[in-house]
Amino acid sequence: MPTLPAWVVQALVIFLTTGSTGQLLDPCGYIYPESPVIQYGSNFTAVCVLKEKCMDNYNVNATYIVWKTNHVAVPKEQYTIINRTASSVTFVSMAYLSVQLTCNILTYGQLEQNVYGVTVVSGFPPEEPKNLSCIVNEGKKMMCQWDPGRETYLETNFTLKSEWATEKFADCKTKRGNPTSCIVDYAPIYFVNIEVWVEAENSLGKATSEHINFDPVDRVKPNPPRNLSVSNSEELSSILKLSWINPNIRNVIRLKYNIQYRTKDATAWSQIPLEDTVATRSSFTVQDLNPFTEYVFRIRCMKEDGRGFWSDWSEEASGVTYEDRPSKAPSFWFKINPSRTQDYRSVQLIWKTLPPFEANGKILDYEVTLRRWKSPSQNYTVNDTELTVNLTNDRYVATLAARNRVGKSDASVLPIPPYPFQASQPVTNLKAFPKDNMLWVEWTAPSKSVRKYILEWCVLSDSSPCVPDWQQEEGTVHQTYLKGNIEESRCYLIVVTPVYPAGPGHPQSVKAYLKQAAPSKGPTVRTKKVGKTEAVLEWDQLPVDVQNGFIRNYSIFYKTIVGNETVVNVDSSHTEYTLSSLTSDTLYMVRMAAYTDEGGKDGPEFTFTTPKFAQGEVEAIVVPVCLAFLLTTLLGVLFCFNKRHLIKKHIWPNVPDPSKSHIAQWSPHTPPRHNFNAKDQMYSDGNFTDVSVVEIEANDKKPFPDDLKSLDLFKKDKVSAEGHSSGIGGSSCMSSSRPSISSGDENTASTVQYSTVVHSGYRHQAPSVQVFSRSESTQPLLDSEERPEDAQLVAESGDRGDSIPPRQQYFKQSCGQPDTSPDTCHFERSDQLSCGSEEDLVRLKQQPGLGHTSQPCGSEQVKALQEGSAADTFGPRAEGHTEKLETVGVEAALDEGIPKSYLPQTVRQGGYVPQ
Amino acid sequence: SLYLLSLLLPLLSPAAPISPAEPISQAYSLALYMQKNTSTLLQTYLQYQGSPFSDPGFSAPELQLSSLPPAAVSFRIWHALDDVERLSRGQEAFLALSQHLQLVGDDQSDLNPGSPILLAQLATARLRAQGLLGNMAAIMTALGLPIPPEEDTLGLVPFGASAFERKCRGYIVTREYGHWTDRAVRDLALLKAKYPA
């Protein structure tokens, strides 16, 4: 009674609560029904009846009752107060399989006191048991089993009942935990029909199965036959005899059998036709077996008429059929060893062991014969599967036969061609392809009749040599599969050689894979050349060991860091590819994948950067630029060199050495005009002849009378000019580093030019010829002593900063000189303010800041200066100034406003012919 | 077991008239099967009873039980019987035998309580006799023959027999069980030939 413990617990509660009042084990009330079992989902009503005594003790009545299910109060709506002592509760459609229902009372202070408790169990009535069936295992009692139907959730008893027409048998009660089968406790009585049925019963109902009526002998499962044994026959190699002991049920029923057999290594069983074993027996001879083969047998039995059950299989027994002579000649082939002498060759005859089903016994040895045309045959008996013989270069015919205990196989004939031999007639359309997990080879037979075909094959690998395996096929075959351990993803080279009666034909080969796979490695791509917008990629063919299949094509993936990947497919025959339309100066990532029919594999990624300039582009820019620069420089140098005298004139004018001059001497006498060459004239530009004295006086703004003084002044003036010129010379382009030297060099040249100028000037200024007489004596001295003088002069000018202002004073003074033409003075002034273009140029040169531009010996300027200097000579007064121009040179003249101002002045003076 | 026949009637009557070949064959198979074991039963019984029963070559054909019809019958009489009479005699005999085997089983439980093999064989023999009885009733039903009325053969058996008397009684029952089984095989073979499947 499963509900019992529940209410015992409840009773304990009551005991504890009522214990204080001394009412042991006397509950305050009861619930009816006591142990309710209801159908799942049905309605249920329980009543709690309180005892009068208890009601008095607690001062309660039925309205104080509280119902609880599993400790949860039931809603009041489900209560019904029947009378003062009884309250009922109703549940509609009980959906609990098991629920604790308690009756409680609310005592003083809302304290709940448990009165009584029951467990309400719900479930289903049993269904009718189905599929009742019985079996009589031989030697055991009858067992019946059935399908109990749906779960009842209640304890349900199943009873197997059985009876004869004349007798009832004891009920078979199912054991707990196995309510679907039962073994009766009486020995089966065969040949008497028995009626069997099952009754299922629980608290909610009872159900009876269909009655079945049968003869137990038709439900027998015999024991398997025992002591199965197998014996062979020396007379017949194709039979084995089985014998066994029948089970004891043989005494009651007749049997039929089921015999199965297989070769030892096979897993699938073959079966002796059932109709051959339909009657009781204890032995059977199995026929049509292969010789010298181990077979395994097993047997089972059942009632002859098929009523009942097959027994279990007997224990297996095995036997070996007797040997027979080999049924086939072995495959036979030969190899010619590379070592050969003039007259003999070493030939290795090779053959295959016969498979057991062809050997038909243990092969004891092989008989080999070798026969040369019309000569007696040589015989060999070999245990191995090869024989190496030395043969002459003649044609031979070899035969081979395998021998076992019973007999000898047919002979395999192999023609060995003479040496040399021209093989011909190959097979055509050789193909190899995988099918059904085998590598098939197919070819078209040659027109000539073929005795047999030899197939040789090996794995192509870079790591191991080609070790060929081979097989032989009949001459009628043109399709076969390779009978060997063919691995997947390996490249097989298959060679097919037809063998004609005269000898082997020309071999043909083909490559194949049993199953291709993606390459195990991708190709490693690298750049061969990288250009500005293109890159030449190159890679090596994948080694055959990693190809795993025929490489069908490559894919090149390339991308920039940010860009999308671009894919190019390349035929597998290439090992080079040019990526074009790349962006210059960009990092590219490129990788390659090689594809077989089964997939591809990426190789490592390679990174390269396209250059900013194409190859030679930089050179194309830089070299011309450099060349141009060099050329310009050279030209400049050349020009400057050519015009060095001009430059020198400007930078390093020839300065007459005053200390060597003999003014005093030449002042009084007038040098003969004829003595004046151009040079002399020029030197005499600062003439201190009578006329020139006047001039200088005018320049210095010194009064006429003091000739010597004016000379000094002039000297001073020169000194200052020198100082300036040297300053400018320091920044001269041509001889900046050594102005003094260059100017020294120029002296001679300048003299030449000078002479020209003077000459022209002289012509034009014929009236003032005498002016030049003064300087003739000074010139040679200057030439030789110029340099030290200059240095001294520079030093002097540096020391005596006051040398200039006095000279300027001269100007002013000269302006004020009554002797000098006021016009001249005026001109000098205006000279500097507004002069012709030449003068402007000159002035530009004057400005030290512009020295750089003006100094580089621009030919026009130089020319202008030349002209200017030439123009000098126009003005009659210019004669006096000419000397200055000479000595200062072009540049020097520009250095100082004053000497320069002479030029325009003279020009104008030239222009002012009337003056 | 005394009410067997009364049970038999209502159970077998409503059965649809079926071919008699099947129950005849079944009864014959049972009789044959029983026949293989009757000598074993007799030998086992005698073996457990001690001397003189267990003596080699023990035989007492003259001993008979009045409550058990003898199986021995002259060929002329047996040949003259018709199917119904043969089946009725057989039924009568096996009804008596099953009751007597029950009695012998009870006796042996007292006399040889430690001989489960013998008790099991006796129980099996009784059940088989019972089964053959049922098969014969089925044949008669199939043949549309009236089933003979019940007969309380053992009512007259004296219960206060001595051990020796009980051993002798057991000997007669097991012996007659064999004889009647032999006779049943013959009867049923004849019937089987008459009603081939």
Side-chain angles (χ1 to χ4, degrees):
Chain A
M1 297 296 281
T3 58
L4 195 62
W7 81 256
V8 164
V9 170
Q10 301 302 338
L12 193 64
V13 174
I14 302 297
F15 164 77
L16 290 172
T17 54
T18 57
S20 58
T21 59
Q23 294 169 311
L24 294 172
L25 287 172
D26 187 12
C28 237
Y30 291 99
I31 293 176
Y32 303 98
E34 191 61 57
S35 312
V37 177
I38 60 163
Q39 185 159 348
Y40 187 85
S42 64
N43 299 342
F44 169 65
T45 300
V47 180
C48 185
V49 180
L50 298 177
K51 287 182 178 172
E52 288 290 345
K53 196 191 266 180
C54 202
M55 289 167 63
D56 292 345
N57 275 351
Y58 293 105
N59 195 21
V60 294
N61 58 39
T63 58
Y64 287 76
I65 287 176
V66 175
W67 290 95
K68 286 188 165 183
T69 52
N70 289 349
H71 309 298
V72 176
V74 177
K76 298 273 185 197
E77 300 81 57
Q78 292 174 236
Y79 298 0
T80 306
I81 309 300
I82 297 167
N83 55 32
R84 206 176 65 84
T85 61
S87 167
S88 74
V89 65
T90 301
F91 299 93
V92 178
S93 182
M94 269 299 261
Y96 294 103
L97 289 174
S98 173
V99 65
Q100 274 188 10
L101 178 66
T102 53
C103 171
N104 309 276
I105 48 172
L106 269 180
T107 59
Y108 181 74
Q110 299 295 306
L111 284 173
E112 274 184 20
Q113 289 281 357
N114 192 298
V115 174
Y116 205 79
V118 296
T119 298
V120 182
V121 177
S122 54
F124 295 99
E127 279 190 326
E128 185 181 307
K130 298 264 173 35
N131 299 331
L132 175 63
S133 67
C134 300
I135 184 171
V136 182
N137 288 302
E138 182 190 342
K140 294 182 179 158
K141 291 167 180 172
M142 185 171 73
M143 185 194 77
C144 296
Q145 56 189 4
W146 57 89
D147 177 0
R150 83 172 160 197
E151 172 66 57
T152 62
Y153 303 107
L154 298 173
E155 187 175 312
T156 304
N157 294 316
F158 292 89
T159 306
L160 179 71
K161 293 182 174 285
S162 52
E163 64 178 29
W164 279 347
T166 55
E167 175 128 353
K168 272 189 173 347
F169 295 100
D171 288 347
C172 183
K173 300 269 187 194
T174 58
K175 290 194 170 67
R176 192 176 274 277
N178 185 18
T180 62
S181 71
C182 198
I183 298 172
V184 300
D185 60 358
Y186 50 86
I189 305 298
Y190 299 125
F191 307 112
V192 183
N193 277 17
I194 192 168
E195 190 157 299
V196 173
W197 69 97
V198 182
E199 285 179 6
E201 188 174 12
N202 67 13
S203 312
L204 296 176
K206 181 176 172 181
T208 302
S209 77
E210 197 182 18
H211 290 227
I212 57 169
N213 191 297
F214 58 91
D215 186 339
V217 85
D218 291 336
R219 299 291 186 272
V220 166
K221 180 186 178 187
N223 286 329
R226 311 188 296 272
N227 296 1
L228 180 64
S229 64
V230 184
S231 58
N232 63 13
S233 155
E234 282 193 29
E235 288 76 37
L236 275 173
S237 61
S238 65
I239 64 163
L240 284 172
K241 187 181 176 189
L242 305 180
S243 50
W244 62 89
I245 297 174
N246 279 308
N248 294 335
I249 196 77
R250 164 75 189 87
N251 296 323
V252 184
I253 54 174
R254 282 187 292 177
L255 297 171
K256 66 175 181 180
Y257 305 89
N258 181 8
I259 299 172
Q260 289 188 339
Y261 66 96
R262 58 175 170 88
T263 56
K264 193 180 178 233
D265 302 323
T267 51
W269 292 90
S270 307
Q271 184 161 289
I272 306 287
L274 286 172
E275 53 268 30
D276 292 353
T277 54
V278 289
T280 306
R281 60 200 304 158
S282 59
S283 68
F284 188 82
T285 300
V286 185
Q287 300 172 4
D288 296 329
L289 301 176
N290 290 321
F292 199 58
T293 306
E294 182 170 358
Y295 288 91
V296 180
F297 296 89
R298 63 181 185 178
I299 185 171
R300 62 180 179 172
C301 62
M302 79 179 292
K303 190 160 170 268
E304 189 182 32
D305 59 6
R307 295 179 185 177
F309 302 91
W310 278 111
S311 72
D312 291 330
W313 286 105
S314 70
E315 286 187 1
E316 293 175 7
S318 63
V320 182
T321 48
Y322 201 70
E323 291 185 36
D324 198 357
R325 83 175 185 105
S327 58
K328 213 179 158 189
S331 297
F332 194 20
W333 188 229
F334 73 100
K335 285 192 251 182
I336 301 206
N337 292 334
S339 62
R340 71 183 303 280
T341 59
Q342 185 67 34
D343 300 324
Y344 287 96
R345 50 193 169 146
S346 170
V347 174
Q348 188 185 19
L349 301 173
I350 52 175
W351 56 91
K352 295 258 177 186
T353 54
L354 287 168
F357 63 90
E358 287 171 349
N360 291 342
K362 185 178 185 300
I363 297 298
L364 302 173
D365 50 41
Y366 297 92
E367 287 182 10
V368 182
T369 67
L370 272 169
R371 190 159 40 82
R372 196 160 48 158
W373 177 247
K374 280 188 175 172
S375 56
S377 62
Q378 304 158 262
N379 294 327
Y380 304 86
T381 302
V382 188
N383 288 317
D384 206 353
T385 57
E386 61 170 53
L387 173 66
T388 304
V389 287
N390 279 326
L391 300 182
T392 63
N393 291 335
D394 299 319
R395 181 178 187 278
Y396 281 82
V397 173
T399 65
L400 171 74
R403 197 173 66 83
N404 67 11
R405 189 161 63 170
V406 177
K408 212 163 70 169
S409 73
D410 292 337
S412 191
V413 181
L414 179 69
I416 296 172
Y419 178 84
F421 176 73
Q422 187 60 49
S424 61
Q425 299 259 27
V427 298
T428 50
N429 299 330
L430 179 61
K431 281 184 287 187
F433 53 92
K435 196 175 85 179
D436 304 333
N437 208 28
M438 288 184 287
L439 199 48
W440 285 80
V441 185
E442 195 180 75
W443 61 89
T444 303
S447 53
K448 219 163 123 185
S449 120
V450 178
R451 179 172 277 175
K452 66 183 184 184
Y453 293 99
I454 297 292
L455 278 75
E456 293 168 288
W457 71 90
C458 69
V459 175
L460 284 184
S461 168
D462 295 328
S463 57
S464 55
C466 169
V467 182
D469 198 352
W470 63 281
Q471 74 188 51
Q472 174 181 314
E473 294 296 337
E474 295 297 321
T476 52
V477 168
H478 58 90
Q479 188 184 35
T480 185
Y481 63 90
L482 298 186
K483 298 170 183 77
N485 182 23
I486 307 294
E487 294 172 58
E488 294 181 356
S489 310
R490 305 299 299 271
C491 185
Y492 282 89
L493 177 69
I494 302 160
V495 180
V496 176
T497 310
V499 179
Y500 302 101
H506 195 266
Q508 284 288 93
S509 68
V510 68
K511 285 181 193 173
Y513 284 86
L514 175 60
K515 190 171 188 306
Q516 298 190 42
S520 38
K521 264 179 168 176
T524 304
V525 67
R526 57 187 180 271
T527 50
K528 189 182 185 183
K529 211 174 82 183
V530 180
K532 188 176 168 185
T533 60
E534 60 170 35
V536 180
L537 303 176
E538 64 170 0
W539 58 91
D540 297 323
Q541 297 276 16
L542 285 176
V544 69
D545 289 319
V546 302
Q547 283 184 9
N548 298 340
F550 296 113
I551 300 296
R552 301 299 188 195
N553 68 302
Y554 297 109
S555 282
I556 300 173
F557 305 89
Y558 66 97
K559 61 173 180 181
T560 60
I561 285 177
V562 292
N564 285 336
E565 198 167 61
T566 311
V567 185
V568 182
N569 288 322
V570 184
D571 188 82
S572 62
S573 59
H574 293 96
T575 57
E576 198 174 295
Y577 184 79
T578 304
L579 298 179
S580 50
S581 306
L582 301 181
T583 316
S584 64
D585 194 22
T586 307
L587 181 71
Y588 279 93
M589 282 168 289
V590 61
R591 69 193 151 84
M592 272 189 78
Y595 292 93
T596 66
D597 293 338
E598 293 298 316
K601 174 80 177 178
D602 284 354
E605 195 157 80
F606 183 83
T607 313
F608 67 89
T609 308
T610 49
K612 200 162 192 171
F613 301 102
Q615 200 177 21
E617 199 172 273
V618 173
E619 289 87 336
I621 294 168
V622 169
V623 169
V625 166
C626 288
L627 284 175
F629 178 74
L630 205 66
L631 207 67
T632 314
T633 313
L634 266 175
L635 281 173
V637 170
L638 277 175
F639 181 81
C640 289
F641 186 77
N642 282 339
K643 303 291 180 184
R644 63 185 185 278
H645 54 281
L646 275 180
I647 295 164
K648 188 190 168 185
K649 258 187 249 167
H650 286 276
I651 295 173
W652 208 252
N654 280 326
V655 179
D657 187 350
S659 64
K660 306 281 169 58
S661 63
H662 309 282
I663 295 173
Q665 291 176 353
W666 40 261
S667 292
H669 83 275
T670 303
R673 192 181 294 179
H674 299 287
N675 284 349
F676 274 123
N677 57 20
K679 214 190 220 176
D680 293 333
Q681 283 177 354
M682 291 177 80
Y683 281 103
S684 65
D685 85 336
N687 281 339
F688 300 113
T689 55
D690 296 347
V691 181
S692 68
V693 168
V694 171
E695 182 74 3
I696 285 172
E697 291 300 309
N699 274 347
D700 292 343
K701 317 301 184 225
K702 285 278 181 175
F704 250 106
D706 198 350
D707 278 348
L708 286 171
K709 220 176 184 178
S710 72
L711 239 179
D712 285 337
L713 284 169
F714 174 70
K715 201 176 177 182
K716 275 184 188 171
D717 193 5
K718 257 174 133 182
V719 165
S720 67
E722 286 292 349
H724 282 279
S725 74
S726 69
I728 287 171
S731 58
S732 153
C733 78
M734 295 303 294
S735 54
S736 55
S737 55
R738 44 185 179 92
S740 50
I741 294 168
S742 64
S743 53
D745 290 340
E746 285 162 16
N747 271 340
T748 46
S750 64
T751 50
V752 177
Q753 221 175 4
Y754 205 57
S755 68
T756 317
V757 171
V758 168
H759 177 70
S760 63
Y762 180 65
R763 264 187 227 151
H764 294 293
Q765 291 183 334
S768 57
V769 169
Q770 70 235 35
V771 171
F772 297 95
S773 61
R774 186 233 341 152
S775 63
E776 64 179 337
S777 60
T778 61
Q779 188 58 39
L781 287 170
L782 280 170
D783 277 339
S784 59
E785 298 172 10
E786 186 178 40
R787 207 178 300 168
E789 284 284 334
D790 285 347
Q792 283 172 0
L793 284 170
V794 170
E796 278 173 12
S797 69
D799 292 339
R800 296 179 291 175
D802 56 335
S803 64
I804 296 166
R807 185 190 54 180
Q808 285 177 336
Q809 259 184 334
Y810 290 158
F811 277 95
K812 284 172 183 171
Q813 284 171 345
S814 71
C815 277
Q817 284 305 317
D819 284 357
T820 50
S821 126
D823 288 333
T824 311
C825 179
H826 173 74
F827 278 127
E828 278 181 51
R829 305 307 290 181
S830 65
D831 226 0
Q832 300 187 329
L833 297 171
S834 59
C835 281
S837 59
E838 293 115 322
E839 191 188 334
D840 281 340
L841 275 169
V842 172
R843 197 192 288 159
L844 274 172
K845 295 212 165 184
Q846 237 179 308
Q847 294 171 3
L850 296 170
H852 289 292
T853 52
S854 53
Q855 282 166 2
C857 325
S859 57
E860 293 155 89
Q861 287 174 345
V862 171
K863 208 179 271 173
L865 288 169
Q866 282 175 332
E867 282 166 17
S869 60
D872 251 351
T873 56
F874 283 115
R877 293 209 191 143
E879 289 154 33
H881 304 298
T882 318
E883 190 201 345
K884 272 191 181 171
L885 279 170
E886 279 173 30
T887 53
V888 173
V890 175
E891 296 287 345
L894 302 172
D895 277 347
E896 290 187 322
I898 299 154
K900 175 213 61 191
S901 67
Y902 285 81
L903 291 171
Q905 201 175 350
T906 50
V907 171
R908 271 189 217 109
Q909 279 175 352
Y912 288 98
V913 178
Q915 281 188 317
Chain B
S1 59
L2 298 176
Y3 303 99
L4 279 174
L5 286 177
S6 62
L7 283 167
L8 222 116
L9 260 172
L11 277 171
L12 295 178
S13 300
I18 51 167
S19 158
E22 198 175 320
I24 290 170
S25 172
Q26 194 180 26
Y28 176 70
S29 296
L30 178 58
L32 270 180
Y33 180 44
M34 286 160 68
Q35 197 180 26
K36 286 174 186 166
N37 296 294
T38 51
S39 61
T40 310
L41 174 65
L42 180 59
Q43 290 306 315
T44 308
Y45 177 82
L46 291 175
Q47 190 186 323
Y48 276 93
Q49 308 311 316
S51 192
F53 303 100
S54 58
D55 295 344
F58 172 80
S59 181
E62 67 285 355
L63 287 176
Q64 289 293 338
L65 271 177
S66 59
S67 57
L68 199 62
V73 65
S74 73
F75 177 77
R76 200 173 56 84
I77 294 170
W78 177 77
H79 200 264
L81 294 172
D82 62 11
D83 295 341
V84 179
E85 283 170 325
R86 284 198 189 101
L87 282 170
S88 299
R89 298 264 173 100
Q91 256 191 320
E92 190 187 334
F94 278 97
L95 180 61
L97 275 169
S98 72
Q99 292 171 28
H100 280 88
L101 281 167
Q102 183 76 64
L103 178 67
V104 173
D106 293 348
D107 288 342
Q108 291 300 312
S109 293
D110 288 343
L111 296 170
N112 292 299
S115 55
I117 293 172
L118 174 63
L119 295 176
Q121 286 191 7
L122 287 169
T124 303
R126 188 195 72 82
L127 269 178
R128 284 174 179 158
Q130 194 79 53
L132 188 61
L133 197 59
N135 284 352
M136 285 174 167
I139 293 168
M140 295 180 86
T141 308
L143 293 174
L145 301 174
I147 292 169
E150 69 174 276
E151 198 177 334
D152 188 0
T153 55
L154 264 177
L156 306 170
V157 174
F159 287 99
S162 69
F164 182 75
E165 282 171 338
R166 286 195 275 177
K167 283 180 179 176
C168 285
R169 191 165 65 194
Y171 163 68
I172 298 162
V173 170
T174 52
R175 187 195 66 197
E176 286 306 308
Y177 172 72
H179 291 165
W180 271 110
T181 300
D182 292 342
R183 185 169 163 177
V185 169
R186 264 186 295 163
D187 288 353
L188 290 166
L190 203 67
L191 205 59
K192 199 178 177 225
K194 219 178 252 184
Y195 297 95

